[in-house]
């Protein structure tokens, strides 16, 4: 929760206080250890999460087409609802 919300120190303190007051929650010592870790490693954790969750800007291929109704019982209904289909092939660096 702390990492996904990228909590600042005020948010972290409020969150850990709530966790210590919960039944079956963490102890004050555990909260202090988590706070110390987060203060020292917040930037590294955030960068790691961002690097794992984003695609590199590699577009390998793109193709598209528009599908139209070419045949229908009534002439007025031909090509009334065209559908565009786009196919993209994405890649990561080194793959």
């Amino acid at each position: 929760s702390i990492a996904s919300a990228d909590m600042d120190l005020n948010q972290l303190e409020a969150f850990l206080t709530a966790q210590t007051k919960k039944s079956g929650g963490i102890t004050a010592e555990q909260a202090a250890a988590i706070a110390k870790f987060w203060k020292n490693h917040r930037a590294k954790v955030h960068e790691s999460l961002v690097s794992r969750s984003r695609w590199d800007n590699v577009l390998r291929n793109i193709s598209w087409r528009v599908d139209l109704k070419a045949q229908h019982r009534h002439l007025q209904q031909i090509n009334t609802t065209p559908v565009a289909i786009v196919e993209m092939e994405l890649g990561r660096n080194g793959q």
Side-chain angles (χ1 to χ4, degrees):
S1 296
I2 296 167
S4 63
D6 194 26
M7 293 183 184
D8 63 24
L9 296 180
N10 291 331
Q11 293 170 323
L12 175 67
E13 184 178 332
F15 177 77
L16 291 176
T17 300
Q19 295 301 311
T20 57
K21 292 180 180 181
K22 257 168 95 171
S23 176
I26 61 176
T27 65
E29 293 79 19
Q30 290 171 324
I34 292 169
K36 183 177 179 181
F37 175 84
W38 186 245
K39 288 175 187 175
N40 292 330
H41 299 286
R42 177 182 178 193
K44 290 179 188 175
V45 171
H46 179 72
E47 182 58 36
S48 176
L49 288 175
V50 169
S51 70
R52 290 181 192 181
S53 64
R54 72 170 182 230
W55 283 90
D56 294 331
N57 56 350
V58 178
L59 178 62
R60 293 188 173 165
N61 189 16
I62 186 167
S63 61
W64 65 277
R65 71 176 193 255
V66 177
D67 287 350
L68 302 171
K69 289 183 183 178
Q71 217 174 17
H72 206 275
R73 185 180 212 167
H74 304 289
L75 188 61
Q76 296 85 359
Q77 293 178 337
I78 294 177
N79 297 333
T80 56
T81 55
V83 176
I85 297 174
V86 179
E87 295 177 3
M88 292 187 292
E89 182 182 347
L90 303 174
R92 299 190 98 169
N93 285 338
Q95 293 181 355

